[in-house]
């Protein structure tokens, strides 16, 4: 040993024993880690082959690449979703989509102690942008970039299962402030439009209530009342109403044809397809924001003088327009209400491999007193 390493002779016997033990330990640890990696890769490969042979795909083991793009505010927006535009109960610019009930009287008054007289206007405003994805920290509407803080929480999935069984889905939602009418200075005389800048307002990856059904019960304890077949059968009426005209707000526990509104998280047990499942997750998320007093009511006579607290969300207040992977800008179903059937043409599509992360433009009904 001293022939090849002369410094070895100057080291005491006990020190040499310690050094040898350290070297052997490091070599053993290196071999153990290498064997563990090979074993893990073998197990993953075996599971993938088994799932493929069995006709099922485990999306949680292969998360895939984050996809998406930036939304073009001109070509990717269904501008006909802005209508109808009404003054009081009269449609000034009618549209081909059903509208909510507007205040019948065209004159309104707001302010105190001396109220000011104005005109009761009603219109649909694009105010929010939403990502719905199974991949944590995948920002679909920011060019499909993964902006991760260094840890992944709540790996998602979207699998119909095999042999007729439902595999369920788990989605994450990113909520952007997106007041498009204010930015583009459309309807410049409407002083009641939302005036703010672009911002990432909410991400569900860091929300523990979005990950677990038990924790979600803290904000929706009434879920126990509607977890029965009778309450769910009533959702068939909401499905028909939302598809033909507008959803039924009294059936607040239903999301129409999409599924149940509870629990208010991204765990979708009734996963039929990506469009249905992602729209249901977005509907639940909107309801969750209302329950947490983050989103407020803007429609009806109560919204003429300002926003108001709406802990039980009125589904008629929203329309969801698909923007990613393909923008839906034409047709009656380009921006359907919550609960409408996703089987209608134009409600959205999914592209395997390159279009499994979804983006939606959120249209909100606004009734306000233009002073």
């Amino acid at each position: 040993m001293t022939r090849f390493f002369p410094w070895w002779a100057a080291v005491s016997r006990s020190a040499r024993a310690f050094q040898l033990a350290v070297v052997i330990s490091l070599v053993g640890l290196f071999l153990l880690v290498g064997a563990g990696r090979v074993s893990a890769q073998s197990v993953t490969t075996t599971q993938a082959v088994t799932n493929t042979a069995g006709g099922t795909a485990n999306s949680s083991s292969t998360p895939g690449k984050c996809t998406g793009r930036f939304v073009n505010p001109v070509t990717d927006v269904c501008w006909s979703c802005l209508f109808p535009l009404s003054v009081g109960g009269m449609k000034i610019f009618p549209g081909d989509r059903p509208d909510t009930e507007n205040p019948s009287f065209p004159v309104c008054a707001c302010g105190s102690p001396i109220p000011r007289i104005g005109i009761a206007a009603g219109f649909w405003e694009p105010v929010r942008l939403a990502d719905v994805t199974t991949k944590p920290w995948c920002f679909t509407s920011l060019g499909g970039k993964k902006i991760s803080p260094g840890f992944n929480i709540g790996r998602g999935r979207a699998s119909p299962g095999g042999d007729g069984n439902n595999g369920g889905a788990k989605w994450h939602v990113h909520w952007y402030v997106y007041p498009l009418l204010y930015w583009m200075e459309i309807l410049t005389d409407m002083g009641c439009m939302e005036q703010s800048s672009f911002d990432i307002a909410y991400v569900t990856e860091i929300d523990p209530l979005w990950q677990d059904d038990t924790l979600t019960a803290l904000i929706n304890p009434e879920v126990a009342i509607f977890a029965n077949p009778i309450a769910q059968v009533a959702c068939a009426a909401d499905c028909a109403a939302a598809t033909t005209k507008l959803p039924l707000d009294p059936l607040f526990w239903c999301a129409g044809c999409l599924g149940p509104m509870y629990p208010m998280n991204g765990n979708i047990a009734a996963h039929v397809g990506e469009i249905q499942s992602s729209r249901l997750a977005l509907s639940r998320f909107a309801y969750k924001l209302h329950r947490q007093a983050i989103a407020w009511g803007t429609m009806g006579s109560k919204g003429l003088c300002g926003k108001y607290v709406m802990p039980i969300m009125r589904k008629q207040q929203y329309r969801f327009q698909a923007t990613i992977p393909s923008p839906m800008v034409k047709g009656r179903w380009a921006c359907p209400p919550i609960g409408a059937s996703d089987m209608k043409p134009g409600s959205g599509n999914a592209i395997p491999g390159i279009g499994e992360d979804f983006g939606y433009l959120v249209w909100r009904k606004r009734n306000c007193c233009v002073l």
Side-chain angles (χ1 to χ4, degrees):
M1 190 73 172
T2 56
R3 179 180 178 183
F4 300 98
F5 303 98
W7 52 269
W8 188 262
V11 181
S12 63
R13 180 174 299 180
S14 59
R16 284 184 287 179
F18 175 75
Q19 291 175 355
L20 282 176
V22 171
V23 172
I24 294 173
S25 299
L26 290 176
V27 173
L29 180 61
F30 176 80
L31 295 177
L32 182 61
V33 171
R37 289 179 177 177
V38 173
S39 178
Q41 292 176 355
S42 301
V43 171
T44 303
T45 305
T46 303
Q47 290 177 346
V49 172
T50 303
N51 290 337
T52 304
T56 62
N58 187 356
S59 59
S60 61
S61 62
T62 55
K65 181 182 178 182
C66 177
T67 60
R69 57 184 177 79
F70 288 97
V71 176
N72 189 315
V74 178
T75 60
D76 293 349
V77 176
C78 176
W79 287 110
S80 61
C81 295
L82 176 68
F83 305 108
L85 179 63
S86 61
V87 172
M90 181 175 58
K91 300 291 191 300
I92 302 300
F93 293 99
D96 59 351
R97 296 173 180 85
D99 193 17
T100 62
E101 184 177 355
N102 296 290
S104 58
F105 198 56
V107 180
C108 56
C110 292
S112 62
I114 301 176
R116 293 185 295 173
I117 306 300
I119 299 176
F123 61 97
W124 290 85
E125 182 183 11
V127 290
R128 297 294 183 266
L129 203 62
D131 297 335
V132 185
T133 176
T134 60
K135 308 175 183 69
W137 308 107
C138 174
F139 290 85
T140 307
S141 299
L142 294 181
K145 301 299 182 181
K146 187 171 183 179
I147 309 175
S148 176
F151 57 90
N152 287 335
I153 300 178
R155 176 73 66 186
R157 70 184 189 280
S159 174
D163 299 329
N165 297 321
N166 193 347
K170 181 180 179 61
W171 299 92
H172 284 292
V173 178
H174 307 140
W175 193 253
Y176 306 89
V177 178
Y178 200 77
L180 195 56
L181 294 184
Y182 172 67
W183 295 346
M184 302 188 70
E185 298 184 354
I186 300 175
L187 303 176
T188 55
D189 295 333
M190 303 288 284
C192 51
M193 288 191 305
E194 180 163 335
Q195 302 178 10
S196 56
S197 58
F198 179 84
D199 193 10
I200 302 175
Y202 205 107
V203 291
T204 58
E205 284 86 346
I206 58 176
D207 184 359
L209 301 183
W210 187 257
Q211 315 292 337
D212 185 83
D213 293 350
T214 303
L215 294 178
T216 308
L218 295 174
I219 60 173
N220 55 242
E222 71 275 14
V223 64
I225 303 176
F226 304 106
N228 60 79
I230 298 177
Q232 297 307 313
V233 167
C235 294
D238 188 40
C239 173
T243 304
T244 56
K245 192 175 180 181
L246 290 172
L248 302 176
D249 285 335
L251 302 181
F252 59 88
W253 64 90
C254 302
C257 305
L258 304 178
M261 195 67 82
Y262 295 106
M264 296 180 191
N265 58 32
N267 299 326
I268 309 299
H271 171 75
V272 179
E274 281 78 6
I275 302 301
Q276 166 266 336
S277 186
S278 62
R279 283 185 174 272
L280 178 57
L282 181 56
S283 302
R284 290 181 175 182
F285 179 78
Y287 194 178
K288 171 183 167 67
L289 293 185
H290 277 270
R291 182 58 57 90
Q292 297 176 174
I294 298 176
W296 289 35
T298 58
M299 63 176 290
S301 300
K302 294 178 62 177
L304 286 176
C305 298
K307 301 177 182 179
Y308 58 95
V309 179
M310 185 189 285
I312 299 179
M313 182 185 69
R314 294 190 62 182
K315 296 173 288 186
Q316 295 183 5
Q317 182 171 284
Y318 294 102
R319 294 171 175 172
F320 295 153
Q321 179 210 334
T323 56
I324 299 174
S326 300
M328 302 290 111
V329 297
K330 295 181 180 179
R332 162 72 170 79
W333 299 100
C335 49
I338 292 177
S341 174
D342 64 302
M343 299 299 292
K344 297 292 184 178
S347 60
N349 60 2
I351 305 174
I354 60 174
E356 296 178 341
D357 304 305
F358 302 95
Y360 292 97
L361 181 62
V362 179
W363 294 78
R364 184 181 65 192
K365 179 60 186 288
R366 185 78 167 101
N367 286 108
C368 66
C369 189
V370 183
L371 303 174

